[in-house]
């Protein structure tokens, strides 16, 4: 069981002081040009004419390490800290720097100190190599050598919204990743959204460590979108935060033509090896997005946590299952998903986020897909009258849910454009859609098989009534979850992950009637599917979770026979989008805790394609 023991606490205090010292040491004297220093410099004329430098080398390009929006005002401790740091420097450092040689020894001391601090000793991450994983991935040496040899560029994005308790462990994970993948192959983007805990100090520490290790970064603090947090619309904030965290990604492409192979969104705590494996799965499947799974602890159980944003391939909400759930009560409700989940294999979903997830920017951000949210929410601060919403009005759900739908539509549109280009056809009429999609070489195997079997028009999969049957074990968990919600513990957000806003059964959280939609004239299954997967071998957890027990619940005692499963990474058959999904929406402002309502909503890719691209 991971607890903040005294030793850990004193280490944290030490690190913080160390960080402050480094910051003091490294911070340049205040200059007027500082406000410009975050800007990524464009290739100049000569560089453009010759071979432009596309490296992420921070020694050559200091603008690759920048800090924005830090509160530089003096506070009551400023003088104390400055005096202490100067004293330390003058008495313990300066006298020993005699010439150039000793100066570099000194740098070595600092690096060794950081290494020791972040060797994961004492942190949650220290447990990672000992945790049970299927297919012996933790035991095999060099399991990721191939991946590392590829020398891809990775963009690590973190959004911190008053969640300082993960940050040091996340930093440890980043350092581990930098060690394995190379410090020149990463860019770290941290966005502090209006945190009022110790995030600010800890981002100082991150800045110091990343600077010393030579990892490029941008650490940025921004104010909240609204003065009064209860006047905020959470999905809008989500989209805003994420797009800001992606700004350096866009700038590096625009100004220096640097493209990243994958974007890794770090949330909660995930072990470095599990992230590497998720990246591997992402490449093997050419996936647009691969998510981990998010587990929160409650009363000695672990329950699947991110039910607000995750939908299985039939559009249903995941169950709030225990990590030890029986096969008929596992998180994904669809049959294929449940089977593959039980085998610890990646399975296709309609949407996910659930903790740390890996996105292919070439299928999304570089194509102009960004995060957004619904707009016709009701602002309670304005006491305006509520307009009646149509039953099929757009879903006012999370910005990740919008992002997933955008990925599905984007994928369909791209496939059509590619075929379009290949045929040299200038314009394409909407009624050609079916035919075009059928000619699409990238189309999923399942559909091809169905078509080859002589099905002229692909039949719409008859949808079972929404499945509400839950295992006996699970109901118990739901009760607990409800209790917990009713108690409204203060730090609930911290330990329940991103699901703290999911609804209980009593509130209509589980039973969603089928939508009032007819069958689609052009089924979603004819369009090229978006490749969105969940990797059940990548658990994301929170402070207070017993990682060892969770790993045992999920994966048993390690089963090396499975090593021989062929294609354990690759999904052969890709399904089309579901024709309806569970829409859990926030119709009103009220911050993160605003009430949610639920309905089932139709989803027609053909209809979406009629709208102008976003
Ligand atoms: C910020 O601090 C106040 C109390 O000072 C607290 O009520 C509020 O919830 C905090 N906000 C966040 C986002 O943590
Ligand atoms: C809601 O209205 C208030 C008052 O006009 C405004 O300050 C706030 O920004 C609005 N919130 C959103 C999310 O639009």
């Amino acid at each position: 069981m991971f607890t903040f023991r005294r030793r850990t606490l004193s280490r944290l205090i030490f690190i913080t002081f160390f960080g402050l010292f480094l910051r003091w040491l490294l911070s340049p004297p205040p200059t007027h040009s500082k406000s410009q220093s975050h800007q990524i410099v464009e290739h100049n004329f000569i560089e453009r004419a010759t071979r432009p430098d596309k490296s992420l080398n921070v020694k050559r390009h200091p603008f690759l390490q920048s800090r924005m929006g830090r509160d530089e005002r003096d506070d009551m401790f400023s003088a104390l800290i400055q005096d202490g740091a100067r004293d330390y420097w003058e008495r313990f450092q300066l006298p020993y720097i005699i010439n150039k040689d000793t100066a570099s020894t000194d740098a070595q001391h600092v690096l060794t100190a950081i290494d020791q601090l972040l060797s994961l000793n004492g942190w949650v991450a220290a447990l990672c190599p000992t945790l049970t994983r299927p297919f012996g991935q933790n035991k095999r040496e060099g399991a990721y050598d191939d991946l590392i040899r590829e020398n891809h560029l990775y963009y690590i994005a973190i959004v911190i919204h008053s969640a300082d308790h993960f940050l040091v462990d996340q930093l440890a994970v980043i350092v581990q990743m930098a060690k394995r993948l190379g410090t020149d192959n990463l860019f770290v983007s941290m966005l502090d959204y209006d945190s009022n805990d110790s995030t600010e100090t800890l981002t100082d520490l991150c800045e110091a460590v990343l600077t010393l290790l030579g990892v490029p970064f941008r650490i940025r603090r921004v104010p909240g979108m609204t003065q009064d947090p209860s006047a905020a619309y959470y999905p809008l904030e989500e989209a805003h935060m994420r797009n800001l965290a992606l700004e350096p990604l866009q700038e590096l492409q625009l100004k220096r033509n640097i493209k990243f192979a994958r974007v890794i969104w770090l949330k909660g705590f995930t072990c470095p090896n599990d992230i590497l494996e998720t990246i591997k799965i992402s490449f093997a499947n050419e996936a647009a997005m691969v998510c981990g799974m998010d587990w929160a602890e409650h009363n000695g159980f672990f329950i699947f946590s991110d039910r607000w944003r995750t939908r299985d391939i039939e559009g249903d909400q995941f169950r709030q299952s225990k990590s030890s759930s029986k096969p008929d009560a596992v998180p994904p409700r669809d049959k294929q998903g449940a089977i593959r989940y039980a085998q610890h294999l990646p399975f296709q979903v309609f949407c996910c986020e659930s903790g740390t997830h890996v996105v292919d920017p070439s299928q999304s951000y570089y194509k102009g897909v960004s995060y957004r949210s619904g707009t016709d929410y009701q602002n309670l601060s304005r006491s305006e009258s509520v307009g009646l919403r149509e039953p099929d009005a757009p879903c006012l759900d999370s910005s990740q849910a919008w992002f997933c739908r955008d990925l599905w539509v984007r994928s369909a549109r791209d496939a059509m454009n590619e075929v379009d280009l290949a045929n040299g056809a200038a314009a394409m009429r909407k009624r050609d859609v079916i035919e075009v999609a059928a000619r699409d070489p990238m189309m999923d195997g399942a559909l091809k098989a169905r078509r080859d079997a002589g099905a002229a028009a692909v039949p719409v999969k008859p949808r079972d009534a929404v499945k509400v049957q839950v295992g006996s074990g699970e109901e118990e968990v739901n009760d607990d979850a409800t209790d917990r919600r009713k108690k409204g513990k203060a730090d609930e957000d911290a330990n329940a992950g991103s699901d703290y806003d999911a609804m209980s059964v009593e509130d209509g959280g589980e039973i969603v009637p089928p939508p009032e939609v007819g069958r689609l004239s052009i089924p979603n299954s004819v369009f090229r599917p978006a490749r969105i997967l969940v990797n059940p071998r990548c658990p994301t957890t929170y402070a207070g979770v017993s990682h060892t027990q969770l790993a045992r619940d999920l994966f048993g005692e390690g089963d090396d026979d499975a090593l021989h499963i062929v294609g354990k990474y690759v999904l052969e058959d890709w399904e089309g989008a579901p024709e309806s999904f569970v829409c859990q929406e926030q119709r009103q402002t009220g911050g993160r805790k605003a009430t949610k309502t639920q309905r089932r909503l139709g989803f027609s890719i053909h209809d979406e394609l009629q709208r102008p691209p976003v």
Side-chain angles (χ1 to χ4, degrees), residues 121-154:
N121 228 341
W123 306 108
V124 189
L127 280 172
C128 284
T130 66
L131 296 176
T132 304
R133 288 292 182 267
F135 317 133
Q137 80 203 43
N138 264 350
K139 290 180 214 131
R140 265 179 307 137
E141 285 286 318
Y144 303 106
D145 287 356
D146 290 350
L147 185 70
I148 291 161
R149 259 195 301 276
E150 305 263 347
N151 239 0
H152 291 301
L153 297 184
Y154 299 95

Side-chain angles (χ1 to χ4, degrees), residues 161-162 193-197 229:
H161 185 27
S162 292
Y193 181 79
D194 203 29
S195 300
N196 60 3
D197 51 8

Side-chain angles (χ1 to χ4, degrees), residues 214-228:
V215 177
F217 66 84
R218 181 182 291 177
I219 298 173
R220 180 174 186 183
R221 179 184 167 83
V222 293
M225 293 182 88
T226 53
Q227 290 272 308
D228 171 15

Side-chain angles (χ1 to χ4, degrees), residues 116-376:
Q116 273 173 359
L117 286 170
L118 297 178
S119 61
L120 309 183
N121 228 341
W123 306 108
V124 189
L127 280 172
C128 284
T130 66
L131 296 176
T132 304
R133 288 292 182 267
F135 317 133
Q137 80 203 43
N138 264 350
K139 290 180 214 131
R140 265 179 307 137
E141 285 286 318
Y144 303 106
D145 287 356
D146 290 350
L147 185 70
I148 291 161
R149 259 195 301 276
E150 305 263 347
N151 239 0
H152 291 301
L153 297 184
Y154 299 95
Y155 187 96
I156 298 182
I158 306 182
V159 169
I160 314 139
H161 185 27
S162 292
D164 52 6
H165 46 294
F166 306 134
L167 201 49
V168 176
D169 271 306
Q170 285 175 329
L171 178 63
V173 170
I174 293 172
V175 172
Q176 292 292 306
M177 303 276 289
K179 269 189 181 166
R180 314 265 295 261
L181 298 168
T183 51
D184 283 1
N185 289 335
L186 294 186
F187 187 96
V188 179
S189 173
M190 288 188 181
L191 187 89
D192 168 4
Y193 181 79
D194 203 29
S195 300
N196 60 3
D197 51 8
S198 53
T199 297
E200 182 126 42
T201 308
L202 293 179
T203 45
D204 282 353
L205 169 69
C206 294
E207 180 185 354
V209 170
L210 295 176
T211 305
L212 277 162
L213 295 179
V215 177
F217 66 84
R218 181 182 291 177
I219 298 173
R220 180 174 186 183
R221 179 184 167 83
V222 293
M225 293 182 88
T226 53
Q227 290 272 308
D228 171 15
S230 68
Y233 182 60
Y234 188 60
L236 186 68
E237 284 185 314
E238 277 189 306
H240 172 72
M241 294 187 270
R242 289 175 163 228
N243 290 332
L244 284 179
L246 287 176
E247 264 183 16
L249 179 92
Q250 308 287 5
E251 280 176 37
L252 284 165
Q253 195 220 341
L254 213 68
K255 296 189 171 168
R256 303 195 68 80
N257 204 12
I258 295 175
K259 282 198 162 194
F260 290 83
R262 289 293 183 272
V263 173
I264 301 153
W265 289 97
L266 279 191
K267 291 192 81 189
F269 175 74
T270 316
C271 288
N273 268 355
D274 295 341
I275 299 176
L276 290 174
E277 206 206 25
T278 303
I279 294 173
K280 218 165 151 172
I281 288 171
S282 172
F283 281 119
N285 287 286
E286 292 172 38
M289 179 156 73
V290 185
C291 308
M293 289 183 83
D294 203 326
W295 297 93
E297 187 177 42
H298 179 65
N299 285 355
F301 297 121
F302 315 104
I303 48 177
F304 175 74
S305 172
D306 193 359
R307 296 171 72 231
W308 190 32
R309 305 176 183 90
T310 307
R311 296 291 175 272
D312 69 18
I313 194 58
E314 294 181 351
D316 287 317
Q317 227 177 356
F318 274 33
R319 294 190 188 96
Q320 193 173 40
S321 309
K322 282 189 208 173
S323 52
S324 56
S325 59
K326 295 191 192 69
D328 61 348
V330 295
R333 288 169 202 262
D334 72 297
K335 198 156 158 251
Q336 267 304 311
I339 291 173
R340 288 185 67 89
Y341 170 87
Q343 298 172 320
H344 316 307
L345 298 175
F347 54 92
Q348 197 192 358
V349 291
F350 178 51
C351 190
C352 61
E353 171 166 314
S354 41
T356 294
H357 55 286
V358 173
V359 177
D360 176 5
S362 72
Q363 296 184 54
S364 50
Y365 313 129
Y366 290 147
K367 285 205 161 133
V369 179
S370 59
Y371 292 94
R372 60 192 183 120
S373 69
T375 48
D376 55 345

